[in-house]
Structures are given as structure tokens and as C-alpha cells.
Amino acid sequence: MSATLRNLSLSPNIFSSLTLLLSVSSLFLHSCCSSIDEQGQALLAWKDSLNTSTGVLNSWNPFDSSPCKWFGVHCNSNGNVVEINLKAVALRGPLPSNFQPLKSLKSLILSSTNLTGAIPKAFGDYLELTLIDLSDNSLSGEIPEEICRLRELQNLSLHKNFLEGAIPSGIGNLSGLVYLTLFDNQLSGEIPRSIGSLGRLQIFRAGGNKNLKGELPQEIGSCANLVVLGLAETSISGSLPSSIGKLKRIQTIAIYTALLSGAIPEEIGDCSELQNLYLYQNSISGPIPRRIGELSKLQSLLLWQNSIVGAIPDELGGCTELTVIDLSDNLLTGSIPRSFGKLLKLEELQLSVNQLTGTIPAEITNCTALSHLEVDNNGISGEIPTGIGSLKSLTLFFAWQNNLTGIIPESLSECENLQALDLSYNSLFGSIPKQIFGLQNLTKLLILSNELSGFIPPDIGNCTNLYRLRLNGNRLGGTIPSEIGNLKILNFIDLSNNLLVGGIPLSISGCQNLEFLDIHSNGITGSVPDSLPRSLQYVDVSDNRLTGSLAHRIGSLTELTKLNLAMNQLSGEIPAEILSCSKLQLLNLGDNGFSGEIPKELGQIPALEISLNLSCNQFSGKIPSHFSDLNKLGVLDISHNKLEGSLDALANLQNLVFLNVSFNDFSGELPNTPFFRKLPLSDLASNQGLYIAGGVGTPGVHLAPGGHTRSAMKLFMSVLLSASAVLVLLAIYMLVRARIASHGLMEDDTWEMTLYQKLEFSVDDIVKNLTSANVIGTGSSGVVYRVVLPNGEMIAVKKMWSSEESGAFNSEIQTLGSIRHKNIVRLLGWCSNKNLKLLFYDYLPHGSLSSLLHGAGKGGAEWEARYDVLLGWVREHLASKKDPVDILDSKLRGRADPTMHEMLQTLAVSFLCVSTRVDDRPMMKDVVAMLKEIRHVETVRGEPDLSKGVSLTVVRSSPPPARIVDSQGSSNCSFAFSEDSINY
């Protein structure tokens, strides 16, 4: 043929030659194409519908007589296609709907091929199929009912797609089905009861379908060959059926993060092959069945975050193959079974957040494979077993928030793999064993809020992998060892509320990754070091005895967001270099001896938006004009200084929620803005020459004679007119009162409302929802309602018990209105009339303690939850104290000076505030009054109270406490220890 073509090409008649050539080629192509069998034609037709660009199907050649040698195609000895396997090939396109000619096709594997569209109903025509794997694509639509005609089908894998609708009711017709995987789709409806007809089924996984609901049918017990049952992250509800005990071959039951309720059936003990039982994050109640101890092959038991009650059965110690037990976040009582000492393969034991009592059994030290031991947030007492050093594999030991006593055993230093140790919030005493700091793998050491004494040993410098150190809230003395500078990766250190003395070691500059430094409330002396680590973001050295001036090198701390140097003896001027701290959000220099003018650079710090406290110093001069640029600032306290001039620079600070300029020498007219008009006179007091628009002077102001006469005349006329108006209004009031007396609210009464956030609602929207059905809590000052706004948003509304309680109402506005912190509920606004006083807050849905503390699984806590834990600790700690003297250091007892008298009286007030009887606790206005009686001349400031993540302060009528806005500083306990990151 090629010779003929060559001759034709040499012919002088070019046109005739080309015509003949095309004719011959056409005949050739037709001959070749007609040689491919109908199987190949079907495959080629599907290929044409695809949008693949990889060339992987280039071997699918229409000139071949058979597709048996094509990529991904396999044939039997008769030349019939029996398998198509194109796994992980980028095909991009629809599924084939024309494979009817492939009459011997048994296996169709198209997983991870970027296929889209619906599963064709024509799949029901591929009657010889035994395996269909369409997983990990982007398929949508419903699973066609026609697929249930495939009687030979053994494996149906449709997981990881976007399939919708219900599981076909005819699924039970697939009598040969062994593997059925439908997980990670968008399926809905209930599990068909016909699933009980699948007697050969071994794997059934349908988890990750959030809308899959209903109960697990009793018929599941007929799937006698079932090995894996997976329905996690669905809406499966109801109880586990008792028929589950018929599954004699079941090895894994995974129905976690669902809506299961009721008790675990005793019949679970009949599942003799069970290895993994995952039922966590449900609403399961009742006790752990004792027959679970019959599961001799059980390896993992995860029941955390349920409502399981009762004691942990001793029989569980018979499951000697167990490697993981997690029963945390339940309502378990009783003690930790001693039989756990038989679990020699146990690697993780997690019993956190229950109501367990008793001691940590000594037998637990037999579990030498143990790597995680978590018993925190219980009522466990006694001492830590001295033999705990036998646990050589231990990497994590959490026992915080218990009633542990005794000393920290030295044998802990033998746990050479230990990485995280948290014994906080107990009653441990004695010194910290220096051997612990020889643990080279230790990264987190938290022993805050105990009764530890002694010194911080210099051996701490050997613990070179230490990342987080929290020893605050103890009675540790001595100095901060200079060896701490050896800890190059140390990120967080909190030594606050101890008895430390001496200076801040210069070697701390060696902590190159340090971000959080809190040593407040000690007896630290000397000056603030010139060279602090430049990585610092949070520094609190307040309430110490620091002296000297603030170094110019403070500007090198460019990452700093919060700096608290209050309540020291610092002096000199604020260096202008502080402007370089451009990320600074909070600056507290109150209660020191700083002098000179306030530098203009403070007004040029762009991030300064939480608080600026310069009170109780010796500042002079005028308020810098640059303060007008602090338009994000929420709290400003410049009281008790020697400042002068006008307040015009503050007139446009629209974001202020608290301002105190009292006890200075300001003069001139007060800015005529809504904020200043509502400002309490106590926050303006003792400023000679400062007056309010209209001629009313602030307390302590001496006005000029003419002004005084005019003011007096205006005041007299105002009183006269007001009296006349009152008489007229009183007559009208008496006439209409009878008609409105039945109304709980004076509907024609004028409401005053202030919102701190942009919200769209009216007073009527709030009032009509203040019903008993919406009550979510009560307290000593009011009742809290859940209110749904017209736009669907939820807020919490607190209604004060009495309209007369203006002190508590105003105090709450002043305090919460001045706080910006992620762990403190946000005050959205308030409104009031003569009958009602309402406060608006963010609504925080109620959840379990674990969800508050650990997030979706085990992640960080909101303020109210941490406050409750703290308050419980305080009440328990003070329960045995009959007199304020009992909680004083013995060195202070017997002193009879005015300061001691003042301290004892203040402690007496605090005893009332934490009384176990609600009726005995004073209202906030009463607290303020009592504290004023104690110290009515000098400014009274709140001392910080320890909580988990927030500094709580007693609200006073004087300037805000030194730590009114604090990051998770002074005592952030390790609620989210596994994540253990701080957002400053």
C-alpha cells in the first residue's frame, strides 16, 4: 500500500492523487474503527465525556481490536472486561451510564478521580458487579434505589462525597454485601430496618453524616458477622439497642459525637470480640455496666463527655488488654478502683472532671506502661503515691483542682519522660523537690495555688526544655534564681502572689522566647532591668517594691501589648521611647512616684485601646493634645496627680467607658458631650476651676462671685419652676395611677437606654420577653433572662431585683463597661426607668464544664465558669477560718497599727462576700459603703483575686483597680493544657 501511495504522489495530476489518497485513508480508518468491540466503544464513549488533561488514557486507542491492554482495564481469558481500576487518576467528569455492554464487569474502582454529578440509575444494570468504589470524589444527588438490584454486590464504597437523601430502603436486598461505607457525605433520614437482612455484612460505616437521625434499629443485631459499626458525628439518638449483644464478632463500635441517650445495655458484655468502644460526646446516662468487665479483648474504652453516673466498676480491672480508658467529663462518683493496678498494658487513664473521691491508689504505680494520667477536677484527697516514680513511661500527669495534700514526692523526678506536670489548686505543702528540675523533657510545670514554701532551687536552670512555668499563689520565698536565664525556650513564667524578694535577675534577658512575665504581688526590690527579653508581650510586676526610673530601653520591647508597673515606688519621667511599643494595648503606671509632664508619645501609641492608668503619681502640666488621637481607648485614669489646664483633649474620645480625672488642678468648662454629661461627679472631684456647662461647679470648685450669683439665681428659679411642675404632675399622676397600677411596667414612663454595641431592637422587644419561661439564672442582685431579638440574635438580660438598687446597677455598668477581655462576658448596654433597671450582656449558651474548658472536645473556659471554680475554692478554703486573723501570716499577727486594723476590717468584708449563705452576702453598694467606712480619706483600690484566666476585683467607688483589665495573667490555670497557648 505504501508503494502505491508513493507512485500516486509522483503523478502529475495532483488533484486526482489527493482525492484517491483521502478515499484510501477513509477506508483504512473505517476498517480499524469497526474492529474495536462494543466493550471498547462503550469505554471510548465515556472517555469522550471526561475532561482529563493528563494523558493517562492515551492508551485507550480506537485502532485496537480490544480494550484488554488499555490502562486500568482488566479482562478475563475470554477477552471480557472484568475490572476497571482508575484509582487516583484525575478524570474530571461524570460517571459512566453506558457500561451495559460490559456484561462481565465485576469490579469498578473510580475512587479519588475528581468525578462529579450523580450516580446514574443505569448502575443498576451492571448486574455482575461485586465491587463498586466511588469514594473520595465530588458526587452529588441521591443514592439511586436501582443500585439495590445488584445481588452479587459485596463491596459498596461511596464515602467522602456530597451525596444527599436517605440510605435506600432496599439496601437489605444486597444480601451478599460485606462492606458498606457511606461516611462523610450529607445523607439524611434514618437507617433502614432492612439493614438487618445483611447477614454477611462485616463493615458498616456511615459516620460524618450530620443529618442521619433516628435510633439504631434493633435489627442491627441480625448482622451477625458485623465487625465494625461506625456512626460517629451523626444525629443518631435513643439508646443502644439490647440486640447489640448479638454481635458476637463485633470488634469496634464507634458512635461518638452523636445524640445517644439512656444507659449502655448490660448485653454489651456478650460482645466477646469487642476491642474498641467509642461512645464519647453523647448524652448517655446510667452507670457503666459491670458486665463490661467480661470483655477480655477490650483495648480502648472512650466514654468521655456523657452523663454517666455511679462508681467505676471494679470489674473493669479484668479487661487486661486495655490500653486507653477515658471516662472524663461525666458524673462518676466513688474512688478509683484499686483493680486498675492489674491493667499492665494501660497507656492512658483519663478520669478528669468527675466527682471522684478517695485517693490515688498506690496500685496505679503497677501500670508501668502508663504515659497519660489525668485525674484533675475531682475531689480526690490524700497524698500523691510515693511510688509514682515507677511510671517510667509517664509523659503527662494532671491532678489539679483536687484536695491533694502532703508533699510533692521526689520520686516524680524518676519519671524521666515526663513532659507536662500540673498539680495546681490543691493543698500541697513543703518545698519543690529540686530533682524535678533534672527532668530534661519537662516542658510545662504548673503548681499554682497550693501551700508550697521554701525557695525556687537554682537547679531550675537544668530544665532547659521548660516552656511554661507557673508557681504563683504559693508561699515561696527567697530570690528568683539567676539560673532562670538558662531557659532559652521559656515562653511563660508566673511567680506572682508569693513572698519573693530581691531583684529581677539581669540574666532573665537570656530567656529569648519569653512572652509572658508575671511576678506581681511579691516583695521584689531594685529597678526594672534595662534589658528585658524583646519577645515579651505581657509584663506584670505590679504590687512590689521596685524603685528607680523607667529605662529608655523600654522602647526595645516592640512586641509588648500589656505593661503593668502599678503599686511600686518608681519615679522619674516616662521615657519618650515608649512610643516604640506600638502594640501596647494596656499601660498601668498607677500608684508610683512618676513626675514631670505626661509625654505626648503616649497619645501616639496606635494600639492603646484597653486601659491607660497614670493615677496616684506626681505628674504635672497639661494633658497632651495628642491624647485626642486615643479614639479607641476604653479606660483612662489620671486622677490624683498635679495636672492642670482643660479637658478639651479628651472631648472626642468616643470609645471611653471609664474616665477619672479627680484630685488634680484642672480648670475650664467640662466638654459638653453625652459621655461627660453622664460622668459621676466623684470622677471630677477636687479640681479648682473646673465647671460644668451652665455654671455648676464640680466638688471643691470655687467659682467667681458673679458666676456664683448667677448660678444661685438659676438654681433658685429652677427649683421654683420644678416645684410648680411637680405639683401639676402630681395631680395628673393621682388621676391616672389607678388605670396603670395593674401594669408591672409603667408603659408611659421614659426609658433611658445606652448601648455600647450596634444593636437593632427596642425596649418593647426586651420587656415582652421577660417571662418566667426565659429565666436562665438568678443571683443576689437580679434575675437573668434569655431574650431573642427580632433579627434572631440572642442576648442575656439581667433585671435588677429592686429599682432602688442603683448602687449595684451603676457599679456593674462601671466595672463591666470598662473591661475588654475574651474571658469576661461583654456588657452590651443598659436601660432603665423608674420601675426597672436592665443590663444587656452577650448570651453564652450553657454547656458542660469540659466544653467550656476544652472547647469542642477538650479546648478554653469562659469567665463565668472559671469564676464558679474559683469561688468554690475560696469558700472551701475559708470555710475553716472563723476570724480574718486566721488567714494572716503569723508574722503579721499581734500588730496594732492602723494599717493592720484597716487590713482586718477589709478581710472581714471579704468574708461576707464569699459567705455560703446567699442572704449574708452584701450588695455591691453595701460593699462600697463598708469599704468607705474603713478608709474614707485615701483612695481604696481592689486587690486582685485569683481565678482561672481572669483577675477578679472587688468593685469600689474610687478609681478602677490596678488590674481592672488584665490578660490571662495572674493565674491562668491549664484548662486547655494540650493546646496551652495564650492570646494576649
Side-chain angles (χ1 to χ4, degrees):
M1 181 182 294
S2 59
T4 304
L5 290 174
R6 280 197 300 272
N7 291 333
L8 287 171
S9 66
L10 296 175
S11 172
N13 194 334
I14 301 299
F15 179 80
S16 299
S17 301
L18 288 173
T19 302
L20 181 60
L21 177 62
L22 291 172
S23 300
V24 173
S25 298
S26 176
L27 288 172
F28 174 76
L29 287 172
H30 181 270
S31 174
C32 291
C33 288
S34 63
S35 68
I36 190 72
D37 60 22
E38 60 177 352
Q39 296 181 112
Q41 292 177 20
L43 289 169
L44 289 173
W46 178 51
K47 175 187 175 183
D48 290 341
S49 69
L50 300 176
N51 190 28
T52 180
S53 58
T54 62
V56 71
L57 299 184
N58 287 345
S59 63
W60 290 27
N61 193 336
F63 299 111
D64 294 335
S65 59
S66 167
C68 292
K69 295 183 179 180
W70 292 356
F71 174 79
V73 179
H74 304 277
C75 300
N76 59 16
S77 57
N78 297 324
N80 296 320
V81 176
V82 294
E83 178 181 340
I84 299 174
N85 187 345
L86 296 174
K87 180 178 180 180
V89 174
L91 298 179
R92 296 189 183 89
L95 286 167
S97 58
N98 63 331
F99 277 8
Q100 290 84 352
L102 279 64
K103 300 183 183 302
S104 299
L105 185 63
K106 294 183 179 297
S107 178
L108 179 60
I109 303 174
L110 300 175
S111 58
S112 305
T113 51
N114 294 327
L115 294 176
T116 57
I119 300 175
K121 295 181 180 181
F123 265 55
D125 299 332
Y126 310 156
L127 298 178
E128 296 298 317
L129 276 174
T130 61
L131 186 153
I132 298 176
D133 186 355
L134 308 178
S135 62
D136 196 14
N137 282 291
S138 297
L139 301 176
S140 56
E142 298 185 357
I143 302 173
E145 190 72 35
E146 288 78 4
I147 211 166
C148 298
R149 299 203 300 252
L150 305 179
R151 304 279 180 165
E152 303 297 322
L153 197 61
Q154 299 177 18
N155 186 325
L156 179 59
S157 299
L158 304 178
H159 55 272
K160 293 186 178 180
N161 279 287
F162 299 98
L163 298 173
E164 301 172 335
I167 300 173
S169 57
I171 197 75
N173 296 331
L174 301 177
S175 55
L177 203 59
V178 177
Y179 301 96
L180 176 59
T181 57
L182 308 173
F183 60 89
D184 291 348
N185 278 286
Q186 299 172 8
L187 299 174
S188 57
E190 300 185 359
I191 298 174
R193 296 187 179 278
S194 64
I195 199 166
S197 302
L198 304 180
R200 298 179 60 188
L201 189 64
Q202 295 180 20
I203 307 294
F204 176 39
R205 297 182 61 191
N209 291 287
K210 300 290 186 181
N211 297 318
L212 195 61
K213 59 184 181 180
E215 298 186 2
L216 184 62
Q218 283 279 352
E219 288 79 359
I220 196 71
S222 300
C223 300
N225 286 292
L226 200 60
V227 175
V228 175
L229 174 60
L231 295 169
E233 298 182 11
T234 63
S235 295
I236 295 295
S237 57
S239 304
L240 279 177
S242 57
S243 62
I244 202 91
K246 297 180 181 180
L247 304 178
K248 306 296 185 182
R249 297 184 180 181
I250 193 77
Q251 295 180 12
T252 298
I253 298 176
I255 316 179
Y256 56 85
T257 317
L259 301 176
L260 290 177
S261 57
I264 301 173
E266 287 285 348
E267 288 81 359
I268 197 77
D270 294 327
C271 301
S272 55
E273 296 295 317
L274 192 61
Q275 298 177 14
N276 306 296
L277 182 58
Y278 305 141
L279 301 177
Y280 57 87
Q281 287 188 314
N282 281 286
S283 298
I284 296 172
S285 56
I288 300 173
R290 293 189 175 277
R291 289 198 58 198
I292 208 166
E294 300 174 18
L295 303 177
S296 60
K297 297 184 179 181
L298 191 63
Q299 298 177 14
S300 299
L301 177 62
L302 305 184
L303 305 179
W304 55 273
Q305 208 172 97
N306 279 286
S307 298
I308 300 173
V309 299
I312 302 172
D314 288 335
E315 289 82 354
L316 199 55
C319 302
T320 54
E321 296 297 315
L322 272 169
T323 60
V324 178
I325 298 176
D326 193 343
L327 309 178
S328 56
D329 199 1
N330 279 287
L331 302 172
L332 296 170
T333 54
S335 58
I336 302 173
R338 298 184 181 280
S339 61
F340 277 11
K342 302 176 184 178
L343 305 178
L344 303 183
K345 296 183 180 180
L346 191 63
E347 297 176 4
E348 297 185 20
L349 176 59
Q350 301 178 30
L351 305 175
S352 307
V353 195
N354 279 286
Q355 301 169 18
L356 298 174
T357 54
T359 63
I360 301 175
E363 289 80 358
I364 206 74
T365 61
N366 296 332
C367 305
T368 53
L370 203 61
S371 63
H372 286 63
L373 176 58
E374 301 181 42
V375 295
D376 55 272
N377 281 274
N378 282 287
I380 298 171
S381 57
E383 299 185 0
I384 300 171
T386 56
I388 198 167
S390 302
L391 304 180
K392 306 296 184 184
S393 300
L394 195 65
T395 61
L396 184 149
F397 180 28
F398 287 175
W400 57 276
Q401 196 65 54
N402 279 290
N403 300 317
L404 295 174
T405 57
I407 63 173
I408 300 173
E410 290 184 6
S411 61
L412 265 174
S413 62
E414 299 172 15
C415 302
E416 55 191 23
N417 291 303
L418 194 61
Q419 298 176 16
L421 175 64
D422 192 345
L423 305 176
S424 306
Y425 296 98
N426 282 289
S427 298
L428 300 170
F429 54 82
S431 59
I432 304 173
K434 64 179 183 180
Q435 294 86 346
I436 284 182
F437 295 107
L439 294 171
Q440 295 299 308
N441 294 308
L442 191 65
T443 61
K444 297 166 187 174
L445 176 62
L446 292 91
I447 323 179
L448 58 140
S449 294
N450 279 279
E451 300 172 15
L452 299 175
S453 57
F455 307 128
I456 301 174
D459 306 73
I460 193 172
N462 299 327
C463 203
T464 52
N465 281 311
L466 199 60
Y467 181 83
R468 187 173 176 86
L469 175 65
R470 306 220 50 211
L471 304 177
N472 50 292
N474 285 286
R475 296 201 300 272
L476 296 172
T479 61
I480 301 173
S482 60
E483 287 80 3
I484 204 166
N486 298 337
L487 307 180
K488 304 300 182 184
I489 67 172
L490 187 65
N491 176 267
F492 190 112
I493 179 168
D494 189 349
L495 305 177
S496 62
N497 285 283
N498 278 290
L499 304 174
L500 298 171
V501 295
I504 302 172
L506 298 178
S507 61
I508 201 168
S509 60
C511 302
Q512 301 167 357
N513 289 293
L514 191 63
E515 295 180 355
F516 190 105
L517 173 63
D518 191 348
I519 53 176
H520 80 266
S521 299
N522 279 285
I524 303 297
T525 57
S527 60
V528 179
D530 287 349
S531 56
L532 290 170
R534 296 189 176 186
S535 54
L536 278 170
Q537 298 179 20
Y538 180 100
V539 175
D540 188 350
V541 294
S542 61
D543 193 14
N544 280 288
R545 301 173 187 170
L546 294 173
T547 56
S549 60
L550 196 56
H552 293 274
R553 294 189 64 183
I554 192 72
S556 65
L557 304 181
T558 55
E559 299 299 316
L560 200 61
T561 61
K562 298 177 179 67
L563 175 62
N564 192 346
L565 303 176
M567 291 185 285
N568 280 287
Q569 300 166 26
L570 298 171
S571 58
E573 298 183 354
I574 302 175
E577 286 79 2
I578 200 165
L579 176 60
S580 299
C581 303
S582 58
K583 297 181 181 179
L584 198 62
Q585 300 174 12
L586 180 149
L587 176 62
N588 191 346
L589 304 179
D591 287 282
N592 278 288
F594 287 108
S595 58
E597 295 187 353
I598 299 175
K600 64 179 182 179
E601 286 78 11
L602 284 181
Q604 297 174 311
I605 299 176
L608 197 57
E609 58 183 35
I610 296 178
S611 176
L612 174 60
N613 189 342
L614 305 176
S615 64
C616 300
N617 281 286
Q618 302 294 322
F619 290 115
S620 57
K622 298 180 179 181
I623 299 175
S625 60
H626 288 84
F627 268 39
S628 60
D629 296 330
L630 298 176
N631 51 22
K632 297 180 181 179
L633 188 63
V635 174
L636 175 61
D637 189 349
I638 52 177
S639 63
H640 294 267
N641 281 288
K642 299 177 181 179
L643 299 170
E644 59 186 17
S646 71
L647 300 179
D648 292 344
L650 309 181
N652 296 319
L653 301 187
Q654 300 295 326
N655 213 38
L656 275 182
V657 293
F658 179 88
L659 172 66
N660 194 337
V661 298
S662 61
F663 295 92
N664 280 286
D665 294 319
F666 290 118
S667 59
E669 182 178 329
L670 199 67
N672 188 18
T673 67
F675 176 78
F676 277 90
R677 286 196 294 270
K678 296 177 182 178
L679 203 60
L681 292 180
S682 60
D683 293 339
L684 303 169
S686 296
N687 283 285
Q688 302 296 328
L690 187 64
Y691 63 91
I692 301 173
V696 181
T698 62
V701 173
H702 302 287
L703 298 175
H708 180 76
T709 302
R710 289 192 298 272
S711 298
M713 182 60 70
K714 290 180 180 179
L715 181 61
F716 174 76
M717 293 300 295
S718 299
V719 171
L720 183 60
L721 291 173
S722 299
S724 301
V726 167
L727 290 174
V728 175
L729 293 174
L730 183 60
I732 298 173
Y733 174 78
M734 295 301 294
L735 291 174
V736 301
R737 182 177 179 180
R739 297 184 181 181
I740 62 175
S742 60
H743 292 74
L745 303 175
M746 300 283 289
E747 294 183 355
D748 61 338
D749 197 13
T750 301
W751 287 89
E752 181 181 3
M753 182 162 67
T754 297
L755 298 177
Y756 302 130
Q757 304 294 325
K758 186 176 181 180
L759 296 171
E760 299 292 337
F761 63 84
S762 66
V763 174
D764 289 340
D765 296 329
I766 300 296
V767 173
K768 68 183 181 182
N769 282 287
L770 302 184
T771 64
S772 58
N774 290 331
V775 174
I776 57 176
T778 59
S780 61
S781 60
V783 58
V784 183
Y785 300 81
R786 180 182 63 248
V787 172
V788 181
L789 301 181
N791 62 1
E793 184 180 357
M794 284 189 182
I795 65 172
V797 178
K798 181 177 182 179
K799 181 176 74 174
M800 307 302 287
W801 284 124
S802 169
S803 61
E804 304 299 323
E805 299 295 345
S806 59
F809 183 72
N810 293 333
S811 294
E812 196 147 350
I813 291 173
Q814 177 177 317
T815 305
L816 292 182
S818 65
I819 292 178
R820 307 281 177 78
H821 194 279
K822 67 178 183 179
N823 289 337
I824 299 181
V825 65
R826 183 174 54 164
L827 180 65
L828 303 176
W830 57 271
C831 71
S832 67
N833 66 7
K834 64 190 297 183
N835 291 288
L836 277 181
K837 295 187 182 299
L838 305 176
L839 296 164
F840 310 141
Y841 299 94
D842 278 332
Y843 173 69
L844 303 179
H846 177 68
S848 68
L849 180 59
S850 178
S851 63
L852 284 173
L853 303 185
H854 306 297
K858 293 185 176 181
E862 296 303 319
W863 183 85
E864 290 176 329
R866 299 184 179 201
Y867 172 80
D868 288 340
V869 175
L870 167 72
L871 193 58
W873 179 86
V874 171
R875 288 174 182 160
E876 182 177 351
H877 185 65
L878 299 183
S880 60
K881 314 298 183 184
K882 304 302 182 184
D883 188 276
V885 177
D886 294 339
I887 68 172
L888 288 180
D889 189 285
S890 57
K891 297 178 181 178
L892 298 177
R893 296 175 188 172
R895 287 177 53 181
D897 55 49
T899 302
M900 182 55 58
H901 175 72
E902 190 175 289
M903 183 185 302
L904 291 175
Q905 285 184 303
T906 305
L907 288 173
V909 175
S910 69
F911 268 63
L912 288 175
C913 292
V914 296
S915 172
T916 56
R917 287 171 48 86
V918 176
D919 294 339
D920 290 346
R921 296 179 212 152
M923 299 291 291
M924 189 57 66
K925 66 182 183 65
D926 298 322
V927 173
V928 172
M930 286 187 286
L931 293 173
K932 281 184 176 180
E933 284 295 318
I934 295 170
R935 194 176 185 182
H936 61 277
V937 177
E938 297 182 33
T939 302
V940 179
R941 295 182 178 272
E943 287 299 323
D945 196 0
L946 292 180
S947 76
K948 299 188 177 83
V950 182
S951 284
L952 304 181
T953 53
V954 178
V955 181
R956 314 286 172 87
S957 61
S958 300
R963 298 185 189 88
I964 193 168
V965 184
D966 202 348
S967 113
Q968 304 180 40
S970 42
S971 62
N972 175 36
C973 191
S974 59
F975 277 105
F977 205 111
S978 58
E979 301 296 335
D980 209 17
S981 61
I982 297 295
N983 297 318
Y984 299 106

